[in-house]
Amino acid sequence: MAMVSVEPGRPHRSVNLWELGGSMTDHATRLHQSKMGTARRIVAQLRGAPPDWAPNPMINAATVYTDPARHALERRKIFRETPLVACLSSDLPEPGSYRTFDEAGVPVVIVRGKGGELKGFLNVCRHRGARLVRDAQGKASRFSCWFHAWTFSSDGALVGVPQREGFEACAKERNLVPVPVAERHGLVFVKCSPNSTMDIDAFLGDFAPELAMLELGKAQFVKSELLPVAANWKYALDTYGEGYHFASLHRQTLAPYRHAEVQVYDRWGPHHRITWAAHAMSEWMKQPEQEWDADTLIGWVHFIFPNTILYTGSVKPGKGYYTTFRHFPGEAVGETITYKSIYAPFGAPSAEQRADIEAAFAATAHVVRTEDYIVAAEGWRSLASVHEDGATVIYGRQEVALQHQHRAIAAILDCAPPREVVDGMAAE
Ligand code: FES
Ligand SMILES: [Fe+2]
């Protein structure tokens, strides 16, 4: 995967966040300091410190990508029983705003109630199961089924039944079925298990402050698209987690701007974040810290377990963007759709900023479509054709993020994790 961070050919100048909007919020201060922390680690590596690699390679069975039974287990345990990012808070901007969420294979509608709180329901009419909300998004105070016109309020109560006398007392028990939703740090999470609970704070754990400082609540939607790929969802996800392929697969598209030998990596429970150095950062070795334009050049790739990538990039100083890549499996083990959206970080963008963001959006999509997802489809097909022969894949020390995410996925499923290879021997 390629993250196009900085417009090629544009000169950069150091930008101090204080210049951008008067006094800094606590979050903005922390964001600046945290980016400077990443910048210092990059400079240390440029000066010879070792990159953030894993201690050893790991080996994994090819069947984790190709076995239909494993796929069915993942669809249930990961995509129905784990919190998933549905959208950003600003995608549900006001009371009555709603969005449907079908990505995980369960029809859900998320609604912002009168008091601003979010609620989630199965998007299934309680009469005979018709799809209740048929527009992908909009604003409404009630939802009326197009089949026989049963009507539900935005808090899920059944409030209208034509010819009610035909249903006697049984209509009383037919409110919409709730699913858990939660809003944290500008992100909307959903768990596609009806009548269950979701402890989102426990799920995010120590990762929460890393998300909070991004102030995603201020981000404004600019554009979205779907990127389908004929590969298992984990094979697609893996292409975002290692820079080892930049110099070969992205030789002409990404390698001229960013190299992977310098890599900063952190993890918080199942979540993690990786940063690769831009070539322009080599100049930092000769400059005092005040000259580093870390706010622009540091492009963080956050992995929000299990399937969402949040990239914080900039097209030029002070003109950042956030991109979400949410990967969802199809019904078959070799089908994935990536839902990609891009946002302006601090409110509605100017026409110029929108054009810059759309250019970054198009550049990334081109690289994903013509490079990452071609190699993913071919690679997955290869594994699917040989998996019965005990085929394996290896995650190198530099592919530390892949090691971590496959261990985290295996832990949720209670399946065998990838095995560490020590002195050439795979641990049992
Ligand atoms: S199925 Fe919705 S009103 Fe009949
Ligand atoms: Fe890539």
Side-chain angles (χ1 to χ4, degrees):
M1 163 52 205
M3 307 296 180
V4 179
S5 281
V6 176
E7 225 175 2
R10 288 222 184 203
H12 302 115
R13 72 180 176 89
S14 178
V15 165
N16 182 318
L17 279 172
W18 274 271
E19 295 174 38
L20 301 178
S23 65
M24 290 177 79
T25 64
D26 289 347
H27 287 312
T29 303
R30 174 134 201 276
L31 179 64
H32 176 70
Q33 290 172 346
S34 191
K35 285 204 167 185
M36 286 301 293
T38 299
R40 289 186 194 104
R41 289 166 68 185
I42 284 172
V43 169
Q45 290 185 24
L46 287 167
R47 289 184 170 137
D52 294 346
W53 287 13
N56 291 296
M58 285 190 188
I59 195 163
N60 210 2
T63 48
V64 305
Y65 298 97
T66 59
D67 177 11
R70 162 86 182 227
H71 185 62
L73 183 64
E74 289 178 354
R75 295 238 302 164
R76 178 167 60 81
K77 295 284 288 182
I78 294 179
F79 290 92
R80 296 197 178 192
E81 298 178 10
T82 303
L84 303 169
V85 173
C87 58
L88 264 57
S89 294
S90 57
D91 293 320
L92 290 158
E94 54 192 333
S97 295
Y98 66 83
R99 287 176 75 86
T100 56
F101 177 83
D102 295 287
E103 289 92 316
V106 177
V108 166
V109 60
I110 304 171
V111 186
R112 193 174 291 285
K114 290 194 193 88
E117 76 293 351
L118 292 183
K119 292 185 186 298
F121 306 101
L122 291 183
N123 188 14
V124 177
C125 178
R126 295 302 310 283
H127 173 215
R128 280 171 43 209
R131 183 172 175 81
L132 177 64
V133 181
R134 300 178 67 242
D135 293 332
Q137 58 186 304
K139 190 176 173 201
S141 57
R142 48 181 53 195
F143 302 105
S144 190
C145 179
W146 72 318
F147 200 174
H148 312 92
W150 279 32
T151 299
F152 301 84
S153 68
S154 61
D155 63 2
L158 177 62
V159 294
V161 177
Q163 300 175 17
R164 194 176 190 108
E165 64 277 16
F167 295 89
E168 297 186 340
C170 55
K172 270 196 210 144
E173 309 299 322
R174 308 301 282 188
N175 293 336
L176 294 180
V177 176
V179 298
V181 296
E183 192 169 22
R184 290 289 185 283
H185 317 300
L187 289 162
V188 176
F189 295 87
V190 60
K191 192 174 95 173
C192 295
S193 297
N195 294 310
S196 66
T197 57
M198 173 170 70
D199 186 345
I200 196 65
D201 296 314
F203 175 72
L204 292 174
D206 294 342
F207 193 46
E210 305 301 321
L211 297 174
M213 68 183 171
L214 300 175
E215 299 191 272
L216 292 166
K218 296 179 179 173
Q220 286 295 313
F221 174 82
V222 174
K223 198 168 186 181
S224 66
E225 67 177 342
L226 304 187
L227 297 165
V229 54
N232 181 257
W233 71 276
K234 300 184 300 300
Y235 206 106
L237 180 67
D238 287 352
T239 66
Y240 297 74
E242 47 89 1
Y244 183 41
H245 69 285
F246 290 178
S248 45
L249 184 65
H250 300 318
R251 184 174 67 253
Q252 294 175 322
T253 47
L254 181 60
Y257 311 108
R258 203 165 279 270
H259 60 83
E261 293 76 22
V262 175
Q263 168 172 293
V264 173
Y265 178 69
D266 295 290
R267 60 186 169 219
W268 299 266
H271 317 286
H272 48 154
R273 186 177 71 201
I274 196 161
T275 316
W276 293 290
H279 290 305
M281 295 173 189
S282 299
E283 292 298 307
W284 291 354
M285 287 192 292
K286 301 179 234 155
Q287 298 169 339
E289 281 189 14
Q290 306 87 278
E291 297 295 316
W292 300 354
D293 49 355
D295 298 324
T296 300
L297 287 178
I298 297 292
W300 278 328
V301 188
H302 305 77
F303 292 76
I304 305 171
F305 188 81
N307 67 329
T308 295
I309 288 166
L310 168 66
Y311 178 63
T312 60
S314 293
V315 285
K316 54 187 147 179
K319 299 290 174 62
Y321 61 88
Y322 295 149
T323 310
T324 56
F325 301 84
R326 299 176 304 121
H327 307 282
F328 288 89
E331 290 190 13
V333 63
E335 295 174 354
T336 300
I337 294 179
T338 299
Y339 295 75
K340 173 177 173 242
S341 298
I342 198 163
Y343 297 82
F346 300 110
S350 65
E352 183 198 5
Q353 189 183 5
R354 176 177 287 274
D356 286 340
I357 290 172
E358 289 186 356
F361 184 88
T364 305
H366 175 74
V367 173
V368 171
R369 278 207 179 91
T370 61
E371 295 176 348
D372 294 287
Y373 280 8
I374 299 293
V375 87
E378 291 176 356
W380 182 81
R381 201 159 51 239
S382 301
L383 292 183
S385 67
V386 298
H387 72 81
E388 284 161 4
D389 300 328
T392 56
V393 296
I394 296 179
Y395 311 126
R397 294 177 54 220
Q398 59 278 72
E399 297 173 297
V400 59
L402 274 54
Q403 295 188 5
H404 183 58
Q405 68 198 20
H406 284 279
R407 291 207 139 197
I409 289 167
I412 288 269
L413 301 175
D414 203 16
C415 287
R419 290 170 296 152
E420 197 166 13
V421 182
V422 182
D423 296 331
M425 301 285 291
E428 289 305 320

